[in-house]
Amino acid sequence: MDIAIIGAGVVGLATAWRTAARGAAVTLVDPAPASGASAVAAGMLTPVSELTYGEEPLLRLGLASRDRYGAFVAELEELTGLGTGYRTDGIIEVAFDSDDLRHLDDLRRFQESLGIPTEALNGRECRRLEPMLAPGVRGGLLAPEDGSIDPRRLAPALLAAAEKHGVRLVRRKAAALIVENDAAAGVRLDDGSEVRADKVLLAAGPWSGDLEGLPPGTVPPVRPVKGQVIRLRTRVPFLRRATRGLVKGSSVYLVPRADGEIVLGATQEEMGFDTRVTAGGLWELLRDARELLPGLTELEFAEVSAGLRPGSPDNAPVMGPTALPGLVLGTGHFRNGILLTPVSGDILAEVLLDGTVPEVGRPFTPDRLTETA
Ligand code: GLY
């Protein structure tokens, strides 16, 4: 089977790897692989703390993906010889004031009601786990089974794995879907050339809705949600594990890497396709992070960046077949793209190669959005 995949972010890359490993001839179309949200994301693997109430199906998908991560990374690292910075040392979530603590208590009760193990911590226990936390931190939660990965290492490893299985990378922009005999037949590129295919996967993140030639009813309802991120560096131990904080109701997180990088994120802004880094965005991140970790101001500044998450109407991915035979969507991963990479690659490979949607992916097929539209 010939498959064309539009978009070489982590979801497109994982699907390319998984489908090519099963014998498909795969062409990946992207002018700049892994340069969107995959290059900006911090890489927290925490199925619970990005959720809001009522998103239990998404939680189950996140847990399924987190459970697959260890084997996924082991296979990837062995195949490519490349590291990914995968860590499973848990995530601590802390509260700055008593209102924040009440909110965390609610989150803990929600987690308990879903059978997810977390440990409630008082302020002293938080500081025992993370000694750089401010003396005023009121308490927190430890999610011992969560972890993190470095998306800037994950994406190149996925590309290397895909290429080892013969995936062809075309560094061009996809201009239009080719439709013939009422079915997807390939992709027209911006230089007028064509990639013919039996199946087309549209995995272009927030740009997925912009492809020309999508018939009515197949356009994914995704929008860009901007996130600004700061990268800092430390030469001395600063944080032991990924740390999220609630500071007077606003959320901030810090993800440490073994090489001394600390990723501080992230704003959440509805600004269209604007990726400018703003003084206000950076100030809010630094202000909140300094409340939790006063020593942060001593860290070396390394980089600022802004990325666009592919947001969907219900915050969940849009994955599966469309009303147009041969056209499959794999987008809308919003705040969870890195976490959901292993499970999304598996789901989309099954959709593309077998024409079936595995049980774990059924709540996320595109028809749920068109049916209610
Ligand atoms: N998952 C982190 C973020 O979207 O900011």
Short mmCIF file of all heavy atoms in Angstrom, two decimals, residues 331-354:
data_model
loop_
_atom_site.label_atom_id
_atom_site.label_comp_id
_atom_site.label_asym_id
_atom_site.label_seq_id
_atom_site.Cartn_x
_atom_site.Cartn_y
_atom_site.Cartn_z
N THR A 331 -4.92 14.62 13.84
CA THR A 331 -4.58 15.97 14.30
C THR A 331 -5.37 16.29 15.58
O THR A 331 -5.98 15.40 16.18
CB THR A 331 -4.85 16.99 13.18
OG1 THR A 331 -4.48 18.29 13.64
CG2 THR A 331 -6.31 17.01 12.75
N GLY A 332 -5.31 17.55 16.04
CA GLY A 332 -6.11 17.97 17.19
C GLY A 332 -5.57 17.50 18.53
O GLY A 332 -6.32 17.45 19.51
N HIS A 333 -4.27 17.22 18.61
CA HIS A 333 -3.74 16.66 19.87
C HIS A 333 -3.55 17.70 20.97
O HIS A 333 -3.18 17.37 22.09
CB HIS A 333 -2.41 15.93 19.59
CG HIS A 333 -2.60 14.64 18.86
ND1 HIS A 333 -3.01 14.58 17.54
CD2 HIS A 333 -2.49 13.36 19.26
CE1 HIS A 333 -3.11 13.32 17.17
NE2 HIS A 333 -2.81 12.56 18.19
N PHE A 334 -3.77 18.95 20.66
CA PHE A 334 -3.80 20.06 21.61
C PHE A 334 -2.64 20.03 22.60
O PHE A 334 -1.50 20.09 22.19
CB PHE A 334 -5.17 20.06 22.33
CG PHE A 334 -5.43 21.30 23.14
CD1 PHE A 334 -5.04 22.55 22.70
CD2 PHE A 334 -6.08 21.23 24.38
CE1 PHE A 334 -5.28 23.70 23.45
CE2 PHE A 334 -6.32 22.37 25.15
CZ PHE A 334 -5.91 23.60 24.68
N ARG A 335 -2.89 19.87 23.92
CA ARG A 335 -1.80 19.94 24.90
C ARG A 335 -1.13 18.59 25.12
O ARG A 335 -0.26 18.46 25.98
CB ARG A 335 -2.34 20.44 26.25
CG ARG A 335 -2.88 21.87 26.20
CD ARG A 335 -3.32 22.33 27.57
NE ARG A 335 -2.24 22.42 28.51
CZ ARG A 335 -1.65 23.55 28.91
NH1 ARG A 335 -2.04 24.70 28.43
NH2 ARG A 335 -0.67 23.53 29.79
N ASN A 336 -1.53 17.57 24.34
CA ASN A 336 -1.11 16.20 24.67
C ASN A 336 -0.38 15.47 23.55
O ASN A 336 -0.28 14.24 23.58
CB ASN A 336 -2.36 15.40 25.06
CG ASN A 336 -2.97 15.93 26.34
OD1 ASN A 336 -2.35 15.88 27.39
ND2 ASN A 336 -4.16 16.49 26.24
N GLY A 337 0.14 16.21 22.57
CA GLY A 337 0.73 15.55 21.41
C GLY A 337 1.90 14.63 21.75
O GLY A 337 2.00 13.52 21.22
N ILE A 338 2.78 15.08 22.62
CA ILE A 338 3.95 14.24 22.93
C ILE A 338 3.50 13.01 23.72
O ILE A 338 3.88 11.89 23.40
CB ILE A 338 5.01 15.05 23.72
CG1 ILE A 338 5.40 16.34 22.97
CG2 ILE A 338 6.23 14.18 24.02
CD1 ILE A 338 6.03 16.15 21.62
N LEU A 339 2.67 13.22 24.72
CA LEU A 339 2.15 12.08 25.48
C LEU A 339 1.46 11.06 24.56
O LEU A 339 1.63 9.86 24.71
CB LEU A 339 1.14 12.58 26.54
CG LEU A 339 0.31 11.51 27.24
CD1 LEU A 339 1.18 10.62 28.12
CD2 LEU A 339 -0.82 12.13 28.04
N LEU A 340 0.66 11.56 23.63
CA LEU A 340 -0.18 10.66 22.83
C LEU A 340 0.53 10.08 21.60
O LEU A 340 -0.10 9.36 20.83
CB LEU A 340 -1.46 11.39 22.40
CG LEU A 340 -2.39 11.83 23.54
CD1 LEU A 340 -3.59 12.59 22.99
CD2 LEU A 340 -2.86 10.63 24.36
N THR A 341 1.80 10.35 21.45
CA THR A 341 2.50 9.88 20.24
C THR A 341 2.46 8.36 20.07
O THR A 341 2.06 7.86 19.01
CB THR A 341 3.96 10.41 20.24
OG1 THR A 341 3.91 11.82 20.11
CG2 THR A 341 4.77 9.83 19.09
N PRO A 342 2.83 7.56 21.08
CA PRO A 342 2.84 6.10 20.84
C PRO A 342 1.45 5.56 20.49
O PRO A 342 1.30 4.79 19.52
CB PRO A 342 3.34 5.51 22.16
CG PRO A 342 4.11 6.61 22.80
CD PRO A 342 3.40 7.88 22.41
N VAL A 343 0.45 5.94 21.25
CA VAL A 343 -0.88 5.37 20.99
C VAL A 343 -1.44 5.89 19.66
O VAL A 343 -2.11 5.16 18.93
CB VAL A 343 -1.84 5.61 22.19
CG1 VAL A 343 -2.43 7.00 22.20
CG2 VAL A 343 -2.95 4.58 22.21
N SER A 344 -1.13 7.14 19.32
CA SER A 344 -1.64 7.69 18.06
C SER A 344 -1.00 6.97 16.88
O SER A 344 -1.69 6.67 15.88
CB SER A 344 -1.35 9.19 17.96
OG SER A 344 -1.97 9.87 19.01
N GLY A 345 0.30 6.69 16.97
CA GLY A 345 0.97 5.96 15.89
C GLY A 345 0.34 4.60 15.69
O GLY A 345 0.11 4.16 14.55
N ASP A 346 0.03 3.92 16.78
CA ASP A 346 -0.58 2.59 16.68
C ASP A 346 -2.00 2.66 16.11
O ASP A 346 -2.39 1.87 15.24
CB ASP A 346 -0.63 1.92 18.06
CG ASP A 346 0.76 1.54 18.57
OD1 ASP A 346 1.71 1.56 17.76
OD2 ASP A 346 0.89 1.22 19.77
N ILE A 347 -2.78 3.62 16.61
CA ILE A 347 -4.17 3.76 16.13
C ILE A 347 -4.18 4.08 14.64
O ILE A 347 -4.88 3.44 13.84
CB ILE A 347 -4.91 4.87 16.92
CG1 ILE A 347 -5.16 4.44 18.36
CG2 ILE A 347 -6.23 5.25 16.23
CD1 ILE A 347 -5.66 5.56 19.28
N LEU A 348 -3.37 5.06 14.25
CA LEU A 348 -3.41 5.51 12.86
C LEU A 348 -2.85 4.45 11.92
O LEU A 348 -3.33 4.30 10.79
CB LEU A 348 -2.67 6.84 12.72
CG LEU A 348 -3.42 8.00 13.40
CD1 LEU A 348 -2.53 9.24 13.52
CD2 LEU A 348 -4.70 8.35 12.65
N ALA A 349 -1.87 3.67 12.39
CA ALA A 349 -1.35 2.58 11.54
C ALA A 349 -2.46 1.56 11.29
O ALA A 349 -2.62 1.06 10.17
CB ALA A 349 -0.14 1.94 12.20
N GLU A 350 -3.23 1.26 12.32
CA GLU A 350 -4.31 0.28 12.13
C GLU A 350 -5.39 0.84 11.18
O GLU A 350 -5.89 0.13 10.31
CB GLU A 350 -4.93 -0.12 13.49
CG GLU A 350 -5.98 -1.20 13.32
CD GLU A 350 -6.46 -1.81 14.62
OE1 GLU A 350 -5.68 -1.94 15.58
OE2 GLU A 350 -7.65 -2.18 14.67
N VAL A 351 -5.73 2.11 11.38
CA VAL A 351 -6.74 2.72 10.49
C VAL A 351 -6.26 2.67 9.04
O VAL A 351 -7.01 2.29 8.13
CB VAL A 351 -7.02 4.18 10.93
CG1 VAL A 351 -7.92 4.88 9.91
CG2 VAL A 351 -7.67 4.23 12.32
N LEU A 352 -5.00 3.05 8.83
CA LEU A 352 -4.49 3.14 7.46
C LEU A 352 -4.32 1.76 6.82
O LEU A 352 -4.65 1.56 5.65
CB LEU A 352 -3.14 3.87 7.46
CG LEU A 352 -3.23 5.38 7.72
CD1 LEU A 352 -1.88 5.94 8.15
CD2 LEU A 352 -3.72 6.11 6.47
N LEU A 353 -3.81 0.80 7.59
CA LEU A 353 -3.44 -0.49 6.98
C LEU A 353 -4.57 -1.51 7.03
O LEU A 353 -4.70 -2.34 6.14
CB LEU A 353 -2.20 -1.06 7.67
CG LEU A 353 -0.94 -0.21 7.52
CD1 LEU A 353 0.21 -0.82 8.29
CD2 LEU A 353 -0.57 -0.07 6.05
N ASP A 354 -5.36 -1.49 8.10
CA ASP A 354 -6.40 -2.51 8.26
C ASP A 354 -7.80 -1.97 8.02
O ASP A 354 -8.77 -2.73 7.95
CB ASP A 354 -6.35 -3.11 9.68
CG ASP A 354 -4.95 -3.62 10.03
OD1 ASP A 354 -4.29 -4.16 9.12
OD2 ASP A 354 -4.52 -3.46 11.18
#
